[in-house]
Amino acid sequence: MPKIDYTSIRVTKEVRDSLQKYVEACYSDLSINSMLQVHMENLNEGHVKFPKYGIFMCPESQKEKLRNSIKSKPAKKIDSSMSLTGSLPSDPYTRTESDTMGQMEVPESALWGASTQRAVLNFPVSGFRMARSFIRALGFIKAGAAEANLELGVIDEKMKNAIVDSALAVAEGAYDDHFPVDVFQTGSGTSTNMNANEVIANLASKSLGSKVHPNDHVNQGQSSNDVIPSAIHLSALLDIEESLCPSLVGLQKSLELKAEEFMPIIKTGRTHLMDATPIRLGQEFQGYAGLIERSLDRLLLIKDELSLLALGGTAVGTGVNTHSNFSMMACQHISRFASVEVYETDNHFLAQSSLDGALTTSSALRGLAVNMQKIANDIRLLGSGPRAGIGELALPAVQPGSSIMPGKVNPVIPEAVIQAASQVIACDTALVQGAQGGYFELNTMMPFVAHNLLQAISLLTNSSQVFVTKCIDGIEATEKGPELLMSGLMLATTLAPVIGYEKAAKIAKEAHATGQTVLETALDLTDLSEEELIKILNPEKMVQPHD
């Protein structure tokens, strides 16, 4: 090791004290600096050893050793669910496929071709594949495009039938194992588009008995740059229409039923986590139901924006290499196949250079997630206890809560909902980053955006269903809320219009100091009779505006 001249060492007070003791014990006739000079050779090795007092390690030398240690070790690849040959079980046999870059060996049983195989080899990043709903949308788009190409005379009816049948089989999920490309790939999603083209072309060729080309036939009139943003919109639209909205309708209904059930129960309200004026337990749940209803309303508006597809813009939005009526015709057939109405966008340049529709959708999903967090947090806090907490609600016991505390039951369902909602918010943050990836005529973070958008929809769908069946439907009100109601200090609020704010505040403070109820203290500090006070302090008159 080359000699290093450590002329400056940061010495802490503790180290200096140790040095001083060492000097006094071993080198009584030397100063600290002289002693350090004696040990300079050791210091050049990265440390100084002091008998009785341990080793002082030079920080820079320690960093250098760590760096050298790292450099000497080869990087190990973290295992993922994706192999270099794709997602299929190990296949000892291969076939040779070709694309514009040359030949590639592809697993014999794989339906994909050379372009997909290159992507499998190029992007073994996460093991995350494109969502099932995204592949479904791609299938519908390819089927609709084939129908349009038949009408435009680009392909014949036999080829159209072969492509449509194959594309719909892909949409139905029959060949999901043959879509191995990682989410983290080319930003336009070209690899996934070509994956769909190659699988559908392979299936159609077998059905037709003659060659169906992935680019010339399946991808005719299209580009990855308009297909992938169209698939983002269509997949999100389908998931919201078929899964999320029905789940939210169920959640809203469950909360409304609880609101009706709990409406007779009056309890102490809370603001700033502190006691406030009375409220009906049912009114709290009425508020929760309203949050879900508002979120549903926003999603219904979002569906209109998601129904606009970029298809027809091809490479940069100009529609090069496609017929002017292609998109309109394809969208009509996509609507028929997918059972949702979709239309050609009125601005292809916007639809391909940005992901504004996906970003707007994500913001609505984030709002829903925040609302669900609020509801879940309130419910688990109202159910806290059972003896030392608020304990106004009894939540269903679905599993033991502790590995060490016998009999403990935790609010695990609200906790799961809160975590799912937090992940949705994280997906929205990721989507903001993705939406910022639009440069000139194309956004180049489309697979990433699709992954996070569809994950958010899935999390909200599943967590809302679990919330209903495992928690909200089984919630019961306890007697604790009504029992504590008359001891609430904010009952003094209704005294203010009668005796004034300052006198009412004095009564509340005195009641708190003495442990009396507001009624008892008001009897002592006002000239009002007990009958008058009972009427004024009636909680039922406090849970609605007066006439």
Side-chain angles (χ1 to χ4, degrees):
M1 177 178 177
K3 188 168 182 174
I4 302 172
D5 185 14
Y6 291 98
T7 58
S8 177
I9 305 170
R10 182 177 177 272
V11 179
T12 65
K13 185 177 183 300
E14 182 180 353
V15 171
R16 186 175 181 84
D17 290 344
S18 293
L19 287 169
Q20 187 64 52
K21 290 177 183 178
Y22 180 63
V23 168
E24 292 171 356
C26 304
Y27 298 92
S28 58
D29 57 337
L30 295 177
S31 67
I32 290 178
N33 288 338
S34 299
M35 183 277 297
L36 283 175
Q37 187 65 41
V38 171
H39 287 281
M40 191 57 73
E41 288 302 316
N42 282 338
L43 190 59
N44 281 326
E45 295 300 320
H47 69 274
V48 178
K49 185 175 182 181
F50 303 107
K52 301 181 183 178
Y53 303 109
I55 292 178
F56 169 66
M57 180 69 71
C58 170
E60 287 303 317
S61 178
Q62 188 174 25
K63 289 179 184 177
E64 185 178 334
K65 288 181 178 179
L66 287 171
R67 291 190 194 102
N68 289 336
S69 173
I70 292 169
K71 289 176 184 176
S72 67
K73 296 177 181 177
K76 291 184 178 180
K77 194 170 185 67
I78 297 174
D79 291 336
S80 75
S81 60
M82 183 180 294
S83 69
L84 290 179
T85 55
S87 63
L88 296 175
S90 179
D91 192 336
Y93 301 103
T94 61
R95 69 180 191 276
T96 302
E97 292 278 350
S98 300
D99 62 9
T100 57
M101 292 187 70
Q103 294 183 335
M104 282 293 295
E105 292 300 309
V106 177
E108 178 65 35
S109 57
L111 292 174
W112 64 79
S115 292
T116 302
Q117 186 63 30
R118 292 186 195 281
V120 170
L121 296 173
N122 286 338
F123 310 117
V125 178
S126 68
F128 299 144
R129 298 187 295 172
M130 300 304 289
R132 160 92 280 275
S133 53
F134 189 85
I135 304 303
R136 181 188 182 204
L138 275 178
F140 288 142
I141 289 169
K142 297 300 178 181
E147 292 281 5
N149 283 325
L150 171 67
E151 293 180 34
L152 293 169
V154 179
I155 59 175
D156 62 32
E157 187 163 2
K158 288 183 179 180
M159 181 174 286
K160 183 273 295 184
N161 289 338
I163 292 175
V164 168
D165 289 346
S166 300
L168 292 181
V170 165
E172 291 167 4
Y175 300 100
D176 283 355
D177 285 347
H178 296 268
F179 286 82
V181 180
D182 201 277
V183 164
F184 299 97
Q185 52 165 293
T186 172
S188 61
T190 300
S191 297
T192 292
N193 184 42
M194 283 306 302
N195 191 172
N197 291 335
E198 289 177 340
V199 169
I200 293 168
N202 198 330
L203 290 169
S205 296
K206 292 178 181 179
S207 170
L208 190 62
S210 59
K211 178 68 174 178
V212 176
H213 197 277
N215 298 82
D216 296 337
H217 301 136
V218 180
N219 200 59
Q220 175 62 233
Q222 307 148 65
S223 163
S224 300
N225 299 354
D226 62 357
V227 167
I228 298 300
S230 296
I232 292 174
H233 274 214
L234 180 57
S235 56
L237 177 62
L238 287 168
D239 279 358
I240 289 171
E241 171 84 16
E242 298 174 351
S243 301
L244 181 55
C245 283
S247 297
L248 293 179
V249 168
L251 176 57
Q252 180 188 343
K253 183 177 180 181
S254 179
L255 290 167
E256 287 173 343
L257 289 173
K258 286 298 170 184
E260 183 179 353
E261 178 185 343
F262 295 153
M263 201 58 75
I265 301 170
I266 301 177
K267 44 159 279 185
T268 300
R270 294 177 182 85
T271 58
H272 305 270
L273 301 181
M274 308 299 285
D275 296 351
T277 55
I279 187 172
R280 294 184 184 274
L281 181 58
Q283 289 172 324
E284 286 186 314
F285 275 78
Q286 196 174 54
Y288 304 152
L291 284 173
I292 303 304
E293 183 180 22
R294 289 287 196 279
S295 296
L296 263 169
D297 289 343
R298 295 184 192 107
L299 288 172
L300 293 175
L301 294 174
I302 290 295
K303 284 165 58 178
D304 289 339
E305 189 156 354
L306 291 175
S307 68
L308 302 176
L309 303 189
L311 200 64
T314 62
V316 295
T318 59
V320 63
N321 283 4
T322 195
H323 193 280
S324 58
N325 290 331
F326 169 79
S327 181
M328 178 193 67
M329 294 175 175
C331 285
Q332 290 174 349
H333 292 291
I334 293 168
S335 298
R336 175 168 58 87
F337 291 134
S339 299
V340 291
E341 291 296 321
V342 293
Y343 311 92
E344 179 182 5
T345 179
D346 59 355
N347 191 329
H348 284 279
F349 308 104
L350 175 154
Q352 292 176 217
S353 65
S354 77
L355 291 174
D356 188 60
L359 181 62
T360 304
T361 303
S362 182
S363 68
L365 297 174
R366 181 194 64 217
L368 170 59
V370 171
N371 289 343
M372 288 181 64
Q373 274 192 335
K374 185 267 189 298
I375 297 169
N377 269 318
D378 277 11
I379 286 175
R380 68 169 175 166
L381 287 170
L382 289 171
S384 63
R387 295 191 175 180
I390 296 175
E392 295 177 359
L393 293 178
L395 276 58
V398 296
Q399 67 181 54
S402 173
S403 61
I404 192 172
M405 293 175 278
K408 193 173 191 297
V409 177
N410 295 330
V412 295
I413 301 302
E415 288 172 356
V417 171
I418 290 164
Q419 291 176 83
S422 297
Q423 183 59 53
V424 171
I425 295 168
C427 288
D428 177 66
T429 301
L431 217 125
V432 169
Q433 293 292 311
Q436 290 174 332
Y439 305 104
F440 303 117
E441 278 66 62
L442 184 68
N443 181 287
T444 52
M445 294 185 74
M446 287 196 276
F448 174 74
V449 165
H451 174 71
N452 282 281
L453 183 63
L454 297 175
Q455 182 186 51
I457 296 171
S458 175
L459 285 169
L460 290 167
T461 297
N462 296 335
S463 61
S464 60
Q465 292 173 359
V466 168
F467 203 12
V468 170
T469 58
K470 299 287 186 178
C471 183
I472 294 172
D473 283 350
I475 290 175
E476 296 179 354
T478 69
E479 296 298 321
K480 196 166 183 180
E483 286 173 356
L484 294 176
L485 178 63
M486 293 312 296
S487 64
L489 300 176
M490 293 305 102
L491 292 176
T493 302
T494 51
L495 287 172
V498 180
I499 63 175
Y501 183 90
E502 291 185 2
K503 288 184 178 180
K506 182 179 179 181
I507 289 172
K509 291 179 180 179
E510 182 68 16
H512 180 53
T514 61
Q516 290 182 313
T517 65
V518 170
L519 174 61
E520 291 167 341
T521 304
L523 282 171
D524 294 337
L525 299 183
T526 70
D527 295 329
L528 296 169
S529 67
E530 183 174 4
E531 183 179 353
E532 289 174 313
L533 285 170
I534 289 174
K535 184 177 180 181
I536 293 170
L537 298 174
N538 182 359
E540 291 194 9
K541 292 186 177 181
M542 300 186 199
V543 294
Q544 61 193 30
H546 64 78
D547 295 329

